[in-house]
């Protein structure tokens, strides 16, 4: 019998609704070129609704038997992701001291570079040549100056998976990140190609605090593999009466 390579369970969660999501909606609705928020993207907090969503997610985890709850948490270094993880653990009754909890900058939001804070209208107005290039190249490969493409994000997530398979074999791992992080993990774990993941992205945004999960199946492949169980699962929010929100992650402020 070969040694298990993967965790027993992985849950990948997008952070709760943030103040940046709210500001982005207001700017888009008003046709403004710039998103009006003062904090750096990394410091953008959860909205009040985002906190409720994180609590609802935590209650869902708390209903699981102790031996099935997460015992490893990896989260983005961004405030909205760290607070989502913290609130969810508190609501679940999971003590930080009893689990492995790591803030990992490799799980951060995709870098937007010079397009930070700009709405779609603002990008077209200020950088029409970049808007045209993005439309031609596609979001998977397009890298704005000073920013990242989806391929760049996938590259850093490959190293995250190396860490997970090395350090957390047989564990139950909760990952808290961002919309692009969720989709890029799906690309890697489900072995998608560019067209498949862009089709997934085009169909719907990843809801805030939704759960995408994988479970280790020893009967799959030569040494067992992770198989999908849940995709953008939002039942915990609905059961708790917390509205489901799907605003895309957007650049929220210029980086210093």
């Amino acid at each position: 019998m070969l040694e298990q390579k993967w965790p027993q369970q992985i849950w990948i969660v997008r952070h709760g609704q943030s103040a940046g999501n709210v500001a982005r909606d207001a700017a888009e609705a008003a046709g403004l070129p710039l998103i009006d928020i003062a904090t750096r993207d990394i410091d953008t907090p959860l909205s009040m609704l985002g906190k409720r969503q994180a609590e609802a997610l935590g209650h869902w985890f708390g209903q699981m038997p102790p031996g099935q709850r997460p015992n490893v948490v990896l989260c983005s270094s961004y405030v909205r992701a760290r607070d989502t993880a913290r609130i969810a653990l508190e609501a679940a009754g999971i003590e930080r001291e009893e689990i492995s909890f790591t803030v990992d900058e490799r799980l951060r939001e995709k870098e937007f570079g010079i397009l930070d804070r700009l709405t779609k209208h603002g990008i077209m107005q200020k950088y029409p040549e970049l808007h045209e290039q993005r439309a031609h190249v596609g979001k998977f490969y397009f890298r704005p100056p000073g920013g990242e493409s989806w391929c760049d994000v996938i590259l850093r997530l490959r190293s995250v998976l190396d860490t997970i398979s090395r350090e957390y074999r047989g564990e139950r791992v909760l990952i808290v990140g961002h919309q692009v992080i969720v989709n890029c993990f799906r690309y890697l774990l489900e072995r998608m190609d560019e067209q498949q993941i862009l089709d997934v992205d085009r169909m719907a945004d990843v809801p805030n605090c939704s759960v995408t999960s994988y479970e280790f199946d020893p009967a799959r492949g030569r040494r067992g593999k992770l198989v999908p169980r849940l995709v953008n699962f939002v039942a915990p929010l609905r059961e708790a009466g917390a509205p489901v929100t799907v605003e895309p992650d957007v650049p929220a402020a210029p980086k210093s």
Side-chain angles (χ1 to χ4, degrees):
M1 181 68 67
L2 295 173
E3 183 180 3
Q4 178 173 329
K5 174 183 177 181
W6 293 107
Q8 190 61 32
Q9 188 92 20
I10 294 181
W11 298 272
I12 307 171
V13 171
R14 183 187 173 199
H15 62 77
Q17 185 195 60
S18 74
N21 297 142
V22 176
R24 176 259 184 193
D25 280 353
E28 291 281 8
L32 300 176
L34 198 65
I35 299 167
D36 184 19
I37 192 166
T39 59
R40 297 183 306 161
D41 194 15
I42 189 172
D43 297 323
T44 302
L46 293 174
S47 66
M48 291 304 297
L49 174 55
K51 294 177 182 178
R52 285 178 57 199
Q53 292 169 334
E55 288 176 355
L57 176 69
H59 289 149
W60 180 71
F61 279 118
Q63 293 170 1
M64 298 178 180
Q68 296 179 16
R69 298 173 189 170
N71 63 349
V72 173
V73 177
L74 307 174
C75 74
S76 160
S77 53
Y78 282 39
V79 167
R80 55 189 180 271
R82 295 188 347 241
D83 283 352
T84 297
R86 175 184 55 80
I87 292 169
L89 289 176
E90 290 173 356
I94 299 173
E95 298 291 337
R96 284 271 294 266
E97 295 75 17
E98 297 176 356
I99 64 172
S100 172
F101 187 100
T102 302
V103 174
D104 193 324
E105 77 288 340
R106 295 174 296 177
L107 298 172
R108 70 188 183 276
E109 172 64 289
K110 183 173 79 71
E111 300 283 353
F112 294 94
I114 64 171
L115 303 185
D116 263 355
R117 297 184 72 201
L118 294 177
T119 62
K120 293 178 182 178
H121 176 70
I123 295 171
M124 293 176 64
Q125 183 182 86
K126 190 171 184 179
Y127 301 111
E129 71 286 352
L130 288 180
H131 180 266
E132 182 180 350
Q133 182 187 13
R134 182 183 183 277
H136 174 68
V137 174
K139 67 165 64 175
F140 191 78
Y141 289 105
F142 174 71
R143 178 191 293 142
E148 292 180 303
S149 67
W150 279 40
C151 289
D152 295 319
V153 175
I154 288 166
L155 181 60
R156 51 180 158 95
L157 293 187
R158 289 188 187 278
S159 75
V160 173
L161 287 178
D162 286 344
T163 300
I164 288 173
S165 63
R166 183 180 64 249
E167 298 185 9
Y168 303 119
R169 298 177 182 182
E171 306 288 1
R172 303 179 300 278
V173 180
L174 169 62
I175 298 171
V176 182
H178 308 265
Q179 173 163 259
V180 173
I181 294 297
V182 175
N183 280 336
C184 288
F185 267 126
R186 289 194 62 189
Y187 170 88
L188 290 168
L189 292 172
E190 298 174 40
R191 300 186 179 184
M192 296 183 183
D193 59 23
E194 176 192 3
Q195 190 58 54
Q196 287 172 316
I197 193 56
L198 291 183
D199 286 344
V200 166
D201 180 67
R202 193 177 299 112
M203 282 190 293
D205 290 320
V206 177
N208 294 107
C209 276
S210 63
V211 180
T212 295
S213 72
Y214 299 84
E215 186 175 0
F216 182 74
D217 184 345
R220 300 287 290 273
R222 292 186 297 114
R223 292 193 297 170
K225 63 183 294 188
L226 292 170
V227 295
R229 292 298 186 221
L230 300 172
V231 175
N232 295 340
F233 180 65
V234 294
L237 306 187
R238 293 191 173 122
E239 289 171 4
V244 177
T245 53
V246 294
E247 295 91 345
D249 286 347
V250 294
K255 293 181 175 57
S256 59

